Amino acid sequence: MPFSYRSILALAALLLALAPAACGGGDEQSAEDVPEDAVAVVGDKEISRAEYERLLGQAETTFKAREQEFPETGTPEFEQLRQAIVRSLIEQKQFEVGAEELGIEVTDTEVDKRLEELKEQFFEGDEQKYQEELEKQGLTEEQVRSDVRSRVLSEKIFEEVTKDIEVTDQAVKDHYEQNRAQFETPATRTVRHILVDKKARANDIYRQLRNGGNFASLARRFSQDPASKEQGGRFEAQQGATVAEFDKAAFSLETGELGRPVKTQFGWHVIEAVSAIKPKSTRPLSEVEADIRQQLLQQRQNEAMNKWVEELRARLDDETAYAVGFRPAPAQTTTGAATEPGETQTSE
């Protein structure tokens, strides 16, 4: 989903990984519209400085836990973190506005239920461990419940926005026909091989095998291929999955035939074909239909959600204002020019 889910006790870590994204900043509202105790407003919803400081503090806690130096104020690294936090908070408020428009609410009972599920998942239901972790992360119960509420809200929005999306049988069939190569199983056969770095050693091993030498013993003794050495050189070869010289030799031998040494970029190979070739095959539609349907459904749901988010951001652009120093940098265009839709850049 386009909305960044924040796990119950790893919000700061996620903020560090947020990619730059275009967040509004139109001309209808300005810094003067932002209360002194807020960093931004989206419509009539304020983002308090306390909320911003809380996430900044969580980020610092995460850095310390990883034994990493927290960026100093004024550095590019600190600016990147600050903007990531502001973008995340703006997105959260935008979702709240969108949820109201959709008539979606999150009840205290729903928050209670999800919180209990998270406690069970991360702390095996141990309340003491949960409280200890809150203290370690510098979180309050109220803050955790707020994060959980945001998570549940985003899930309910996703469900509402995508509820009418379906995938027809024809769409599944068309995808299958257009991507048949994805459902092919390559030809395979069981082979044994011994890899050495010198041609002379390969020729000597080949002669020993021709004179009745034990392939498995020689492989364990001389082969430099760790993947097959302990199996006596035996492995399942897939046509097209190995280097060309090895592939050609392995699939041109008759069953039971021992081939002359073959050189590849890895060294010299002595190859024996153990089994007959199992021809390549294509999995029938009936075997992959469910997977295709799920793949197409997720793809279409994500497309619908992305469209909803972009339309929401565009509508709220002129209703978003930032306190001085908190406006995120504009997104980079494909030409490298920094612009915001409908905005003339001014100094703050």
Side-chain angles (χ1 to χ4, degrees):
M1 288 181 59
F3 181 65
S4 301
Y5 281 167
R6 296 174 293 171
S7 79
I8 184 173
L9 297 173
L11 177 57
L14 176 58
L15 288 171
L16 300 179
L18 282 174
C23 264
D27 298 321
E28 295 299 316
Q29 294 206 61
S30 63
E32 288 75 17
D33 298 306
V34 182
E36 290 186 3
D37 61 348
V39 299
V41 294
V42 179
D44 61 354
K45 297 184 181 299
E46 298 180 7
I47 298 174
S48 69
R49 288 181 181 269
E51 200 170 2
Y52 164 79
E53 293 291 346
R54 173 175 74 87
L55 297 187
L56 187 64
Q58 284 183 248
E60 185 170 8
T61 299
T62 300
F63 270 84
K64 290 180 179 179
R66 295 176 176 177
E67 298 183 349
Q68 295 176 341
E69 185 176 351
F70 189 70
E72 293 185 11
T73 303
T75 63
E77 293 77 14
F78 181 85
E79 180 65 15
Q80 183 180 15
L81 174 61
R82 183 185 65 79
Q83 293 189 18
I85 292 174
V86 173
R87 288 191 179 102
S88 176
L89 290 170
I90 289 292
E91 185 178 62
Q92 179 181 337
K93 296 303 178 184
Q94 289 173 338
F95 265 54
E96 290 177 9
V97 172
E100 291 175 359
E101 295 174 349
L102 293 172
I104 294 174
E105 296 180 352
V106 177
T107 66
D108 290 340
T109 300
E110 290 173 317
V111 174
D112 292 340
K113 180 181 178 182
R114 179 59 60 85
L115 186 54
E116 289 304 314
E117 291 172 353
L118 291 170
K119 289 179 182 180
E120 188 65 36
Q121 178 182 353
F122 292 106
F123 306 102
E124 298 179 342
D126 190 318
E127 182 67 23
Q128 182 176 345
K129 290 181 180 179
Y130 166 69
Q131 293 296 334
E132 289 173 353
E133 188 64 25
L134 291 191
E135 183 176 354
K136 178 180 177 182
Q137 297 289 335
L139 291 167
T140 67
E141 182 80 13
E142 181 181 359
Q143 290 165 348
V144 171
R145 289 182 64 84
S146 175
D147 291 340
V148 171
R149 185 179 297 275
S150 295
R151 178 171 181 170
V152 175
L153 184 70
S154 66
E155 291 174 356
K156 295 180 77 169
I157 290 174
F158 184 84
E159 290 174 3
E160 178 65 24
V161 171
T162 63
K163 66 181 181 181
D164 296 326
I165 294 177
E166 297 179 347
V167 177
T168 64
D169 292 342
Q170 186 62 47
V172 172
K173 182 178 180 181
D174 290 345
H175 181 87
Y176 177 79
E177 293 297 337
Q178 294 165 11
N179 300 275
R180 291 183 70 91
Q182 296 180 8
F183 309 108
E184 289 183 352
T185 300
T188 60
R189 83 180 316 174
T190 303
V191 301
R192 295 193 295 192
H193 88 120
I194 298 173
L195 171 65
V196 293
D197 57 356
K198 301 293 185 181
K199 181 179 181 180
R201 173 58 59 83
N203 285 332
D204 180 58
I205 291 173
Y206 174 73
R207 284 193 294 269
Q208 291 186 57
L209 293 171
R210 292 279 294 177
N211 292 324
N214 185 282
F215 200 109
S217 296
L218 290 171
R220 293 189 181 97
R221 181 178 177 186
F222 295 110
S223 183
Q224 298 175 5
D225 175 24
S228 64
K229 179 175 182 176
E230 296 306 316
Q231 284 71 47
R234 188 184 185 97
F235 79 102
E236 292 297 314
Q238 289 190 352
Q239 194 164 32
T242 57
V243 291
E245 301 88 348
F246 186 99
D247 194 75
K248 179 180 179 180
F251 286 90
S252 62
L253 294 171
E254 297 293 332
T255 303
E257 182 181 359
L258 177 69
R260 290 185 174 278
V262 175
K263 188 178 188 305
T264 73
Q265 66 193 69
F266 301 105
W268 288 85
H269 305 258
V270 181
I271 307 169
E272 180 184 46
V274 176
S275 73
I277 297 174
K278 183 178 180 180
K280 71 175 183 179
S281 61
T282 301
R283 297 176 66 189
L285 176 59
S286 59
E287 286 187 7
V288 296
E289 181 177 0
D291 291 338
I292 293 175
R293 190 179 301 278
Q294 183 62 28
Q295 176 187 338
L296 293 179
L297 179 62
Q298 290 179 348
Q299 178 182 322
R300 295 180 183 185
Q301 287 177 330
N302 288 336
E303 289 171 353
M305 191 65 190
N306 285 330
K307 181 181 178 182
W308 182 86
V309 170
E310 291 307 314
E311 290 176 349
L312 179 70
R313 286 174 175 168
R315 287 192 293 103
L316 295 177
D317 206 33
D318 290 340
E319 299 179 38
T320 302
Y322 302 88
V324 174
F326 282 92
R327 182 189 299 275
Q332 294 294 321
T333 67
T334 54
T335 60
T339 59
E340 289 284 0
E343 180 185 25
T344 301
Q345 190 71 15
T346 58
S347 60
E348 293 184 334

